[in-house]
Every structure is written in structure tokens, then in C-alpha cells.
């Protein structure tokens, strides 16, 4: 459980090779705003994962009821495809990919994760067969770029309570959406928007259930803003999404079933847990690279006639980085295990998210410190990792919000 | 087509290597090993040949346990099976001893075409591929940047890089091609490839099985490395100080002409 097996090591090597050879040289132009999606497609193609995903998901589709749930047929599985299938679903392999991308560009990893993971995973998990075929598979294979739209100008941490975006039932059985979403990753370029809105049944009930809807670029009334100018994650385009009387058919309600407020809330919570579980792997990538670069630099940089690694103040920083590095690895391994065993643990996930994001910021900042003035220069790369790392304390629930959730869950558990 | 590719595992170019106490080898611990980059071109060309003309790609490598990882990488890229020459007796050989073992292993495959890197990036001797071709009685083209194999698999046309120019040679197969940068863009090991690689055959062959007892490794070597020389310390660069860009450029030209004598 605490060591990568031979196959996982090979997979990690493959991801690393690609990211160092192909992604690293592209970071400057991506940070200047070049859309990253073609590169992502090339990446999945290079790993043979796009075709494999498509084949595997098509197969799943054929064994699925109209509600998107697997049919209960105990079919015998072919051996060869089987191993690849389980690899495609192996959470550790996804984490390794996220880690390797994040070593080079956490921003690129964010855009990738939001499109395939958040938007794609949501449709795969909650969609009907028709929705999985039309949106889920193209999102997971990156044929379509996805976004996941929850935050609003007036609603961040209090995502549900303060949400203003509404979906009103229309006479033809569809919905009319109005509102503004903000901080939406991939917003400027997304083809598909998995978007949360309060369902207004027109019955005057103030307790409106939050539902997810699938919107597409090109729908009348849907528009997106200019990419935001950000501190970090500059290679992940972020923008507002505007909805003005966007009329969608009933079949674009994710899952195609209206729910009562409690069930809807639980559903969305589950997705938040999923969103958070990807963050530690991103942090691991940042920490691993900062630690390696710092050690290398400290060995090479000579001041006062000796390598700066000879100074205890530098050694202590490196030891602290090592502790974070090992702890974060262990946490990622446990999250992978929990996902594989089907034992999600939301309190642990939230706590891990908090710890890893803080550790990533601390390690990246210390890494700049060890690099001295050079660390402040783009060329040495750690400044990008530090800029990007800070976002991980904000997105997927701020540090405080995750901590509060840990206590809420633990308080229930320990009664 | 029977296609073979001989590959070598070498330290990663990024690795900082240390010389051992005896002064004749590098310290192995802490070194990251990879497939020698020119061997990657060889594997890629072997796979492309198979994709065009059909057949099987057999990868052959000589070295200790750790080499298995590089062999698995080649299998994950798409090679069909492997031969691993693994035995303490193979260690410590020179180009000739290594080539003898590889040529004997290739004989068990009877390839129509063999691919190799033009050199390994550790020893940089550029000997093994050439000697293998010689020992196996194969036609050969070295430092190849482009290759066309006739559809009937009987002949090939290879473009060789030579100093400042090139050369096109026609070969009768079976032949050995030693590969140069530019020949192709090597693929990455794919996820499906990695999953399949585990089940592919890796056959170990001992010197006795090749009829080469006492003739390979240190015992079969005619040359022996006695000393490794560390890289000379690089001298610090020189900075040109001048009032204006024009003056700086003039000074640079003067230095290039009078001191560096390159103009
Ligand atoms: C680069 C980037 C990409 C993003 N991508 C997406 C995306 O794709 N989709 C999406 O929906 N959202 C996205 N977000 C939005 C992100 O999820 C929100 O920024 C986050 O949820 C915080 O909301 P807020 O910014 O409104 O801060 P606020 O909620 O206003 O919080 C401000 C401060 O108050 C604190 N605070 C608030 N409430 C409490 C409380 N009850 N107790 C203690 N402290 C509290 C917070 O911890 C924080 O420190 C993204 C954000 C960024 C920066």
C-alpha cells in the first residue's frame, strides 16, 4: 500500500517523461493564455488512454440501463481488456497523472481535472444513459471541454444558501435559467457547463432544491466572460458564465429527475468530496518537485566557500519539506486505497485537503527561500509552483470551510 | 518480417555520476537508469517497420537485473518479446565481448533486420552495433536518419548522416541499421502497453546456452578500461563591459578574432 508496484512505477515514468518533454516547454505560452486543451488531447493520445477510455466507456454504456446504472447481469469478462479496464479505473493511476502534471504545471492539472474529473465524473456518475453518451464520454475523453459551475459573485463558501441562479420550470416541461457564475475554470473555452441552480417550481416554496443542469456553448442566452488575470494558475483559463433566459429541455437536467431539497444537497456534497480528493495529488506534485529542486540547488549553490546545504538553516528547511512530502504521499496512498475499496471518508478527505494545501504553499515558499533571488525568477520554476499552490487553499472549499466540515462530521461520529 | 532491436540501459543524462574509489567505473548507487536515447530511436523504427510490414519485434539486451526495467519499457512501447542476457559472466566485457553475446542471441531469432542505437550515451564507443553486424554477417548502415524498406522485405534504402552532408545506401537484407536522432520521434510507453508488457515473454539466456562459456564479459574482453577521467572544471565565462551596445559588439568581435581566433 505504501509503495508503487512495478506497473505503477512504469506508468509514473511514462507520465513524467511526457510532462518533462512536452508540457514543460509549453508552460510559458500556456501562462500567456494559449488554450491547453489540444495539448491535453495529445497527452491522452500519447498514453494510449483516449482510445482505451472510449472503448471501455462504450462497453460500459452497452451494459447500462436508461437510468445510467449498470444492469445487473453477471457477465463473464474477457481477460486482456479487463486489466486495462481496471487500470483505467484505478484511482492511484489518476492520482499519479495529476501528480506528474502538477510537478510541471498545477494550472494545467486544474483545467484537466475540472474538465475530465469534475464535469466528466459528474455526468458519468449522475447522468442517464443518454446523457452519458452525449456528454459524459466526450468529456472524459476530452473530445469536449467541460466546466463545473457552482460559485457565484455573492456565493462562495455558502454555495447553497446564497445561490441566486435559478431554473424555472417552463410551460413545455423544460427549464429557463438565469444567473451569473464566477471563477469558473475552463469557462472561456468550455463546450459543456455542468451548472448548479435552484429549482423554482413556481409554487412559492422558499426552500428550493439545488439541481445540476447540463448546458452547452451556443445556447441562446449563455455567454462567458474574458479570462481573469490571476496570481497563479495562469495556464488554467477562468471566467464568469452569464445566463439570461437560457431555455433548456427537460432532458438537460442531470439525472433527469427532480429531487427534494435534502436529497439534492446530499448529492452535491458527494461531488464536493470528489472534488477535494484530487487536491492532495496536486499538492504532492508541487511538494515533490520543490523538494527535489531545492535539494539539488542547495548542493550546487556555493556561498561563504561551501555549498549552502552545509548550513543547518537550509538543512532544517529541507527536513521539513521531507516530512511534508512523506505525509502527503501517505495521505494520497490512503485516498487511493479508500477510493478503490469503495470506502470514501469525507472527514479524512477534507482534513487531508487542508493539510496538503497548506504544506504545498509552505514547501513552495521555502523552496523559493532556498533558491534565494534565483527562486524569484521564472526560469527556476519554483515561483510558479508557489503561485499556483496558493489557489489550493482557496478552491474546492477554503481551508476554513474544510476544517469546519471536519468538525461537523466528527461531532456526529463521536456522539 | 522478423525484426530485432538491441538496446542498452544507461544512466540518465540528468544524473550526476561519481567515479568509484578504484577510479575505473562510476558508482552505481543512486543512479537513475534509462534506455539510451539512441536505442529509443531503434525501438521506434522497429515498431514502425512491424506496423508497415507485419511480423514480430524481439528486443535483446545484456546487463544485470536492473536492465529488466528497460526491457519492460520496450515491451510497453510495443515490442513482442525479449531476450535478456543476464549472468555475472556477461559483466565487465568490452565492445567485442558484448557484441559476441548479442550476435549469438540474435542467431536464435534469425532476424531479417536488426535495429540498434548508433552509440550508447554512457561509454560512447559506437562499437557494439558495428561489431554485431560484422559477427552476424549482416549488411549494415550506421548513423541512419531515414529508412525505406522495400515492400517485399528484401532490400532497404538508408540515408546516413555524415559530417556536413549525407549518403544514401542500398542494402540487402538481412541488415543492421544503427539509428541516429532525426530518424523518428519515439513514442511513449502507453498505458495499454504497460498493462500488456507484464505478460510478454522475457527469456534469459546464459553464456553456456549460447555456446559462449568463457568467451563473454571480462573473460572475453580484449580491452579493459583502467581509468575514468573526471570532467575538467569549466572556466568562468567572461563579461564584456562597455558603455554602449555598439561598443560591446565591437569588443566581442575583437575578442572572437584575436583571442578565440574563430573569425
Ligand atoms: C483559480 C480558481 C478557480 C476556481 N474554479 C472554480 C470552478 O471551476 N467552479 C466553481 O464553482 N468555483 C471555482 N472557484 C471558486 C472557489 O471554489 C471559491 O473561490 C471558494 O469556494 C471560496 O469562495 P469565495 O471566493 O466566494 O470566498 P468566501 O466564501 O467569500 O470566503 C472569504 C473568506 O471567508 C472565509 N469564510 C467564509 N465563510 C466562513 C465561515 N463560515 N467560517 C469561517 N470562515 C469563513 C473563507 O474561508 C475565506 O477565507 C475557483 C476559484 C479560483 C481562485
Amino acid at each position: 500500500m505504501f509503495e508503487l508496484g512495478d506497473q505503477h512505477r512504469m506508468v509514473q515514468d511514462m507520465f513524467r517523461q511526457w510532462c518533462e518533454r512536452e508540457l514543460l516547454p509549453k508552460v510559458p505560452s500556456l501562462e500567456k493564455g494559449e488554450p491547453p486543451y489540444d495539448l491535453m488531447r495529445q497527452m491522452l493520445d500519447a498514453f494510449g488512454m483516449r482510445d482505451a477510455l472510449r472503448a471501455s466507456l462504450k462497453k460500459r454504456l452497452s451494459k447500462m440501463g436508461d437510468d445510467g446504472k449498470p444492469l445487473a447481469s453477471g457477465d463473464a469478462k474477457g481477460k486482456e481488456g479487463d486489466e486495462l479496464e481496471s487500470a483505467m479505473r484505478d484511482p492511484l493511476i489518476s492520482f499519479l497523472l495529476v501528480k506528474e502534471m502538477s510537478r510541471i504545471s498545477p494550472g494545467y492539472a486544474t483545467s484537466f481535472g475540472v474538465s475530465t474529473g469534475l464535469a466528466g465524473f459528474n455526468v458519468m456518475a449522475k447522468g442517464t444513459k443518454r446523457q452519458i453518451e452525449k456528454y459524459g464520454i466526450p468529456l472524459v475523453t476530452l473530445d469536449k471541454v467541460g466546466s463545473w459551475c457552482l460559485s457565484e459573485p455573492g456565493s462562495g463558501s455558502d454555495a447553497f444558501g446564497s445561490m441566486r441562479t435559478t431554473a424555472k420550470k417552463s410551460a413545455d416541461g423544460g427549464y429557463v435559467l438565469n444567473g451569473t457564475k464566477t471563477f469558473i475554470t475552463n469557462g472561456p473555452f468550455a463546450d459543456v457547463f455542468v451548472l448548479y441552480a435552484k429549482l423554482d417550481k413556481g409554487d412559492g416554496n422558499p426552500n428550493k432544491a439545488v439541481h445540476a443542469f447540463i448546458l452547452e456553448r451556443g445556447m441562446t442566452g449563455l455567454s462567458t466572460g474574458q479570462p481573469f488575470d490571476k496570481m497563479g494558475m495562469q495556464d488554467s483559463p477562468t471566467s464568469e458564465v452569464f445566463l439570461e433566459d437560457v431555455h433548456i429541455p427537460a432532458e438537460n437536467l442531470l439525472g433527469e429527475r427532480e429531487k427534494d431539497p435534502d436529497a439534492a444537497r446530499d448529492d452535491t456534497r458527494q461531488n464536493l468530496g470528489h472534488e477535494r480528493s484530487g487536491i492532495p495529488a496536486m499538492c504532492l506534485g508541487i511538494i515533490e518537485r520543490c523538494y527535489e529542486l531545492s535539494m539539488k540547488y542547495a548542493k550546487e549553490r556555493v556561498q561563504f566557500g561551501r555549498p549552502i546545504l552545509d548550513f543547518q538553516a537550509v538543512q532544517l528547511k529541507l527536513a521539513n519539506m521531507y516530512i511534508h512530502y512523506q505525509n502527503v504521499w501517505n495521505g494520497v496512498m490512503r485516498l487511493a486505497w479508500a477510493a478503490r475499496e469503495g470506502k470514501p471518508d469525507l472527514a479524512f478527505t477534507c482534513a487531508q485537503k487542508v493539510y496538503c494545501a497548506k504544506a504545498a504553499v509552505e514547501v513552495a515558499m521555502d523552496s523559493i527561500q532556498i533558491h534565494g533571488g534565483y527562486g524569484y525568477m521564472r526560469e527556476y520554476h519554483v515561483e510558479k509552483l508557489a503561485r499556483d499552490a496558493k489557489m489550493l487553499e482557496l478552491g474546492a472549499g477554503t481551508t476554513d470551510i474544510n476544517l469546519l466540515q471536519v468538525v461537523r462530521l466528527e461531532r456526529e461520529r463521536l456522539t | 518480417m522478423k525484426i530485432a532491436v538491441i538496446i542498452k540501459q544507461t544512466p540518465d543524462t540528468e544524473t550526476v555520476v561519481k567515479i568509484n574509489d578504484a577510479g575505473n567505473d562510476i558508482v552505481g548507487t543512486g543512479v537513475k537508469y534509462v534506455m539510451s536515447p539512441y536505442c529509443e530511436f531503434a525501438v521506434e523504427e522497429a515498431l514502425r517497420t512491424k506496423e508497415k510490414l507485419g511480423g514480430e519485434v524481439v528486443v535483446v539486451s545484456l546487463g544485470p537485473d536492473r536492465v529488466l526495467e528497460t526491457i519492460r519499457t520496450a515491451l510497453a512501447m510495443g515490442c513482442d518479446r525479449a531476450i535478456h542476457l543476464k549472468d555475472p559472466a556477461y559483466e565487465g566485457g568490452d565492445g567485442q565481448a558484448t557484441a559476441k553475446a548479442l550476435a549469438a542471441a540474435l542467431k536464435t531469432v534469425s532476424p531479417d533486420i536488426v535495429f540498434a542505437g548508433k552509440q550508447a550515451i554512457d561509454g560512447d564507443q559506437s562499437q557494439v552495433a558495428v561489431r554485431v553486424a560484422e559477427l552476424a554477417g549482416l549488411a549494415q548502415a550506421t548513423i541512419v536518419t531515414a529508412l525505406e524498406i522495400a515492400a517485399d522485405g528484401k532490400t532497404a534504402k538508408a540515408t546516413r548522416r555524415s559530417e556536413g552532408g549525407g549518403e544514401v545506401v542500398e542494402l540487402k537484407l538481412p541488415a543492421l541499421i544503427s539509428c541516429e536522432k532525426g530518424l523518428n520521434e519515439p513514442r511513449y510507453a502507453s498505458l495499454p502497453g504497460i498493462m500488456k508488457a507484464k505478460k510478454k515473454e522475457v527469456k534469459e539466456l546464459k553464456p553456456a546456452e549460447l555456446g559462449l562459456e568463457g568467451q563473454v564479459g571480462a573473460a572475453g574482453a580484449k580491452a579493459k578500461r583502467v581509468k575514468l577521467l573526471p570532467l575538467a572544471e569549466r572556466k568562468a565565462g567572461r563579461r564584456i563591459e562597455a558603455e554602449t551596445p555598439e561598443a560591446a559588439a565591437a569588443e566581442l568581435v575583437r575578442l572572437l578574432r584575436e583571442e578565440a581566433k574563430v573569425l
Side-chain angles (χ1 to χ4, degrees):
Chain A
M1 176 178 161
F2 288 99
E3 203 183 54
L4 295 182
D6 284 348
Q7 276 186 336
H8 282 109
R9 250 205 351 263
M10 279 178 85
V11 170
Q12 177 178 270
D13 282 354
M14 163 180 83
F15 292 155
R16 174 134 348 148
Q17 233 183 24
W18 189 91
C19 290
E20 286 181 352
R21 288 184 190 176
E22 319 283 343
L23 176 56
L24 186 60
K26 294 286 282 185
V27 168
S29 53
L30 293 177
E31 285 215 299
K32 290 204 177 80
E34 187 185 313
Y37 311 103
D38 277 339
L39 193 62
M40 290 178 192
R41 295 182 186 112
Q42 283 168 30
M43 176 180 80
L44 285 187
D45 278 334
F47 302 150
M49 284 169 76
R50 218 153 152 230
D51 286 343
L53 272 168
R54 209 171 276 134
S56 149
L57 295 174
K58 288 248 162 76
K59 209 160 99 196
R60 231 157 99 193
L61 200 65
S62 68
K63 294 176 197 153
M64 191 180 275
D66 287 339
D67 61 356
K69 302 278 172 287
L71 293 171
S73 65
D75 57 310
K77 292 172 182 169
K79 268 219 170 121
E80 185 112 327
D82 221 14
E83 259 207 17
L84 182 57
E85 286 265 330
S86 50
M88 304 301 299
R89 285 191 216 178
D90 180 352
L92 186 52
I93 287 184
S94 316
F95 286 159
L96 288 175
L97 177 56
V98 170
K99 162 167 107 67
E100 292 304 321
M101 291 188 290
S102 304
R103 279 173 60 98
I104 305 297
S105 170
Y108 176 86
T110 299
S111 271
F112 178 87
V114 167
S115 188
T116 63
L118 272 188
F121 168 87
N122 251 297
V123 178
M124 293 307 296
K126 301 276 153 53
T128 59
K129 183 174 181 177
R130 179 170 47 185
Q131 292 170 337
I132 288 174
E133 185 164 22
K134 188 166 176 197
Y135 301 106
I137 297 178
L139 283 173
V140 172
T141 56
L142 276 170
D143 290 345
K144 290 199 164 124
V145 174
S147 67
W148 186 81
C149 317
L150 178 66
S151 306
E152 298 180 2
S155 127
S157 299
D158 182 22
F160 302 106
S162 310
M163 185 180 290
R164 302 274 294 274
T165 301
T166 55
K168 270 208 183 90
K169 268 217 113 100
S170 63
D172 61 1
Y175 305 93
V176 178
L177 281 83
N178 277 288
T180 300
K181 296 289 176 183
T182 194
F183 296 148
I184 302 308
T185 298
N186 297 335
F189 300 101
D191 303 304
V192 177
F193 304 79
V194 174
L195 185 141
Y196 291 84
K198 282 189 171 165
L199 182 58
D200 183 351
K201 293 184 176 172
D203 55 7
N205 186 348
N207 190 6
K208 297 183 180 68
V210 172
H211 283 69
F213 299 85
I214 308 174
L215 279 66
E216 284 181 84
R217 188 174 294 278
M219 286 177 162
T220 311
L222 185 152
S223 59
T224 54
Q226 284 300 308
F228 289 126
D229 205 359
K230 307 192 290 294
M231 168 183 176
M233 301 285 185
Q234 289 174 352
D235 34 15
S236 172
T238 319
S239 75
E240 288 175 295
V241 176
F242 307 105
L243 309 162
E244 281 174 86
D245 289 329
V246 181
H247 199 139
I248 59 169
E251 64 191 48
N252 281 38
L253 169 66
L254 183 61
E256 295 187 57
R257 245 186 44 227
E258 293 179 3
K259 283 167 275 190
D260 65 65
D262 285 346
R265 187 172 283 244
D266 283 351
D267 243 32
T268 313
R269 282 254 161 76
Q270 225 178 315
N271 293 331
L272 292 178
H274 181 76
E275 173 195 29
R276 285 165 195 177
S277 74
I279 304 274
M282 293 185 69
C283 299
L284 180 58
I286 295 171
I287 292 171
E288 186 177 76
R289 187 122 187 280
C290 284
Y291 175 56
E292 287 172 10
L293 289 175
S294 301
M295 184 65 90
K296 185 161 178 268
Y297 189 80
K299 280 183 188 170
E300 288 167 0
R301 176 69 175 174
V302 174
Q303 286 295 283
F304 299 98
R306 54 171 94 166
I308 59 168
L309 183 52
D310 282 359
F311 302 121
Q312 282 189 343
V314 174
Q315 290 175 7
L316 292 178
K317 280 198 187 67
L318 285 162
N320 189 48
M321 286 183 182
Y322 174 82
I323 291 174
H324 283 318
Y325 175 45
Q326 295 300 335
N327 276 336
V328 171
W329 243 131
N330 289 347
V332 167
M333 285 298 214
R334 176 162 159 189
L335 286 171
W337 169 85
R340 197 165 42 227
E341 300 292 317
K343 293 180 178 165
D345 179 341
L346 193 52
F348 179 76
T349 305
C350 294
Q352 196 64 23
K353 191 266 176 194
V354 168
Y355 167 73
C356 294
K358 274 187 169 171
V361 171
E362 187 182 321
V363 168
M365 282 298 180
D366 276 353
S367 183
I368 296 179
Q369 200 68 22
I370 287 177
H371 281 76
Y374 294 94
Y376 207 68
M377 303 294 131
R378 287 273 148 95
E379 195 190 331
Y380 285 76
H381 213 83
V382 289
E383 64 82 36
K384 168 171 173 56
L385 296 175
R387 281 187 285 118
D388 286 12
K390 184 61 197 175
M391 184 272 182
L392 301 176
E393 289 188 314
L394 305 170
T398 64
T399 292
D400 287 342
I401 292 304
N402 274 280
L403 285 174
L404 294 175
Q405 185 153 11
V406 170
V407 177
R408 197 178 316 122
L409 291 163
E410 280 301 279
R411 191 169 169 173
E412 272 166 37
R413 190 177 69 84
L414 294 172
T415 44
Chain B
M1 282 280 258
K2 269 268 189 236
I3 305 156
V5 48
I6 52 179
I7 61 171
K8 184 175 186 188
Q9 188 187 53
T10 60
D12 190 3
T13 42
E14 297 274 297
T15 305
V16 182
V17 294
K18 276 201 220 107
I19 296 176
N20 66 5
D21 291 339
N24 61 359
D25 207 346
I26 61 164
V27 179
T29 46
V31 172
K32 183 172 179 264
Y33 288 96
V34 297
M35 189 186 303
S36 179
Y38 295 108
C39 298
E40 286 187 20
F41 301 126
V43 170
E44 178 63 33
E45 203 58 24
L47 295 172
R48 288 187 187 190
T49 304
K50 176 187 161 175
E51 281 158 8
K52 243 187 253 147
L53 301 171
E56 182 194 40
V57 180
V58 185
V59 53
V60 185
S61 190
L62 179 150
D65 272 332
R66 60 171 155 79
V67 169
L68 184 60
E69 207 177 298
T70 297
I71 291 178
R72 290 262 181 241
T73 302
L75 294 174
M77 286 169 79
C79 296
D80 297 290
R81 62 185 176 91
I83 297 175
H84 185 183
L85 303 181
K86 191 184 92 177
D87 194 87
Y90 288 123
E91 302 299 313
D94 61 353
Q96 175 70 1
T98 300
K100 221 191 265 174
L102 289 171
L106 284 173
K107 213 167 158 195
T108 69
V109 180
S110 344
D112 299 301
I113 190 156
V114 180
F115 293 95
K118 68 155 186 175
Q119 76 200 78
I121 57 144
D122 51 357
D124 277 336
Q125 304 232 26
S126 308
Q127 290 198 17
V128 169
V130 178
R131 288 179 185 266
V132 165
E134 199 65 28
L135 290 166
L138 303 170
Q140 67 172 313
T142 55
I143 323 179
V144 170
T145 54
L147 182 71
E148 248 174 82
I149 301 173
D152 64 4
K154 295 225 160 31
T155 58
K157 206 191 267 180
T159 308
R160 303 185 55 243
R161 188 182 58 71
S162 61
E163 196 65 46
E167 179 186 26
V168 178
V169 291
E170 240 173 40
L171 303 153
K172 273 195 199 138
L173 302 193
L176 183 143
I177 306 294
S178 83
C179 304
E180 164 70 318
K181 189 177 170 146
L183 175 60
N184 54 44
E185 236 354 279
R187 70 196 63 191
Y188 293 87
S190 70
L191 189 64
I194 291 172
M195 293 301 135
K196 282 188 209 141
K198 200 174 64 177
K199 294 201 211 89
K200 291 179 178 173
E201 179 193 83
V202 180
K203 192 168 163 187
E204 288 179 15
L205 287 177
K206 305 275 166 208
E209 293 169 276
L210 298 172
L212 289 176
E213 245 169 326
Q215 298 173 53
V216 294
K222 294 179 173 164
K224 191 169 124 191
R225 179 170 57 222
V226 289
K227 200 168 166 50
L228 275 177
L229 307 174
L231 289 175
E233 289 249 345
R234 244 204 294 170
K235 275 196 253 159
R238 178 126 143 233
R239 213 189 156 104
I240 296 170
E241 310 276 0
E243 294 280 310
T244 63
E246 288 79 7
E251 175 65 2
L252 177 62
V253 170
R254 187 189 70 78
L255 288 171
L256 287 172
R257 188 172 283 145
E258 290 172 17
E259 287 193 18
K261 298 198 171 34
V262 294
L263 290 184

